[in-house]
Amino acid sequence: MDEFPVRPVEALCLGASLAISGIFYYVYRKKRKTVEKLNDAPHLSLDGKLTDILNVTPGKCLQYVVIEGAVQPVGEPLRSQFQDGSVGVVQKLMLREHKLVWNGFARTWTDSERVLHQRVNAVPFSLVGSDEATVRVLCPLEASGLEMEIIHEKFHQATYGFTDIIGQYLSGEKPKGQLETEEMLKVGATLTGVGELILDTDRALKLRPPTDGSEYFLSTSDFETLQMEQESQAVVWQVLASVFALAGAAVLLWVGRRYYHNLRLRWEQDRLRREFERLDAGAPRAGAGSAGSETSQDGAEVPIESACVICLSQPRGCVLLDCGHVCCCFSCYQALPQPTCPICRQTIKRVVPLYQA
């Protein structure tokens, strides 16, 4: 009882909740830092004055700015493989397999999906603003938030015969079919870029990932929507971190409550022990050689009708409640393997000293 009563399961829950909370808090701090940088980033108009601004900027570099413009390829654009007339600068082709998998625990079929093939193509492109001012976009595939338009989507239904059906039930997998999609960042789409803006030696404006490690964004949404999305993500991570931190605090409170309860029990047992020792020290001793008596540990003889029913050497000195039996000494009460009365087997809720005048 002297040791802090932390059980293995509680220690595991406490460690897991604190570790997960720490990870979520770390992600939240990164998201919060990104939101703060977005709020502080200057929103520059894409026009002829932008080159003059960078000319007078030290290093000809603005570390974190917001630029909006229309997508324009530098050379030949990418053409859709499935839709005639659709051209773009970034293209993603994906083939996914959909199937039903038998869940033995839930006793039902659940949907499953896996990517069979994925290919991403990109060509150099720029953002075009007013006055035909352009900013070359570098490393677009490294940017976050690049959601492209789905221009082709087709589901190929799986076909199978009777033997295939038997095999599916034996294997626990039932193919549904394959989903074929094509996504594209089209030419002419409005794009919001957030990153490092530089003026190259050939006097060309270029937008690239920030060298200080800040998050690089290319989004088809406007800047206000991008801000709200990042703010929402930060709030979600903050809530998750708080939930797991509260779970860890709840485990600590539970362990502390049980530890305090054990301390109170120990204090109560110590108080009872001192009370019994005081009563035993002041109790009159029977004369030696009495008939029908037992000898106690201190040499005094105890009448058999007053002896503890367990050790038969000490006088009965405690009342067991709620049954009210007076049948044992305090030492034997403490040694009981279960808190039950030796006479009637009822649960002992509390014990009080037996006062004899």
Side-chain angles (χ1 to χ4, degrees):
M1 192 178 293
D2 292 334
E3 298 179 357
F4 198 71
V6 180
R7 297 169 183 167
V9 174
E10 293 170 343
L12 179 63
C13 293
L14 178 61
S17 62
L18 294 180
I20 295 174
S21 176
I23 293 172
F24 286 167
Y25 182 76
Y26 171 75
V27 178
Y28 159 71
R29 289 304 306 166
K30 288 188 65 177
K31 283 294 179 183
R32 175 53 57 187
K33 185 178 179 181
T34 299
V35 171
E36 292 173 355
K37 294 212 70 172
L38 284 174
N39 294 335
D40 296 337
H43 200 145
L44 302 181
S45 299
L46 186 49
D47 53 26
K49 298 179 181 179
L50 195 55
T51 302
D52 299 331
I53 295 174
L54 283 171
N55 262 325
V56 298
T57 302
K60 297 183 179 181
C61 173
L62 293 173
Q63 199 169 55
Y64 210 62
V65 298
V66 181
I67 294 291
E68 292 183 3
V71 174
Q72 187 69 35
V74 174
E76 284 294 322
L78 296 170
R79 301 189 179 277
S80 171
Q81 295 187 7
F82 302 98
Q83 193 176 84
D84 294 337
S86 294
V87 292
V89 294
V90 181
Q91 177 191 50
K92 179 191 284 187
L93 301 169
M94 186 174 294
L95 183 65
R96 300 184 183 92
E97 180 188 36
H98 291 262
K99 60 183 177 180
L100 296 174
V101 178
W102 177 252
N103 189 329
F105 180 76
R107 308 297 297 174
T108 185
W109 293 91
T110 57
D111 287 317
S112 176
E113 175 187 318
R114 71 186 181 101
V115 177
L116 297 178
H117 176 73
Q118 178 176 311
R119 190 178 71 202
V120 179
N121 302 319
V123 295
F125 68 95
S126 301
L127 299 181
V128 181
S130 59
D131 302 334
E132 297 300 319
T134 61
V135 171
R136 176 78 174 272
V137 178
L138 305 179
C139 308
L141 300 182
E142 297 181 13
S144 302
L146 186 59
E147 296 181 359
M148 296 177 285
E149 180 183 350
I150 299 176
I151 61 175
H152 172 77
E153 188 175 41
K154 185 176 181 180
F155 188 76
H156 301 275
Q157 187 74 33
T159 57
Y160 33 78
F162 178 75
T163 56
D164 296 326
I165 297 176
I166 299 299
Q168 292 166 9
Y169 279 95
L170 292 177
S171 63
E173 293 186 357
K174 187 186 298 184
K176 295 173 63 177
Q178 296 178 351
L179 180 63
E180 184 180 59
T181 59
E182 181 183 14
E183 301 176 31
M184 182 172 284
L185 179 60
K186 287 186 174 182
V187 173
T190 302
L191 195 66
T192 302
V194 183
E196 187 174 272
L197 186 65
I198 62 172
L199 183 63
D200 212 343
T201 54
D202 56 357
R203 296 187 59 81
L205 294 171
K206 295 181 180 180
L207 185 70
R208 67 184 184 186
T211 53
D212 63 352
S214 300
E215 196 162 2
Y216 181 38
F217 290 100
L218 291 176
S219 174
T220 53
S221 305
D222 56 24
F223 181 65
E224 289 74 16
T225 303
L226 178 62
Q227 279 182 308
M228 292 178 60
E229 289 176 354
Q230 295 302 309
E231 183 71 36
S232 300
Q233 291 180 18
V235 170
V236 169
W237 288 112
Q238 184 183 26
V239 170
L240 289 174
S242 301
V243 167
F244 280 92
L246 288 175
V251 174
L252 278 178
L253 288 175
W254 174 260
V255 173
R257 177 180 175 275
R258 190 175 67 247
Y259 182 63
Y260 176 69
H261 178 69
N262 291 343
L263 279 179
R264 289 191 60 184
L265 288 178
R266 187 176 66 180
W267 294 338
E268 181 65 19
Q269 289 180 359
D270 289 344
R271 186 190 66 80
L272 286 174
R273 179 181 54 79
R274 290 193 299 269
E275 182 69 17
F276 278 102
E277 289 175 353
R278 184 183 64 80
L279 291 175
D280 186 62
R285 303 300 178 186
S290 302
S293 63
E294 297 288 343
T295 304
S296 64
Q297 294 177 354
D298 57 1
E301 295 190 2
V302 181
I304 189 66
E305 64 273 9
S306 301
C308 171
V309 298
I310 298 176
C311 65
L312 299 176
S313 60
Q314 296 293 324
R316 304 176 186 183
C318 54
V319 182
L320 307 181
L321 299 177
D322 288 336
C323 64
H325 283 118
V326 181
C327 57
C328 63
C329 62
F330 185 69
S331 299
C332 290
Y333 159 73
Q334 288 183 310
L336 289 174
Q338 299 293 333
T340 55
C341 175
I343 302 300
C344 64
R345 299 302 178 185
Q346 289 189 30
T347 301
I348 301 173
K349 295 184 177 178
R350 62 191 183 101
V351 61
V352 297
L354 176 64
Y355 296 93
Q356 296 180 354

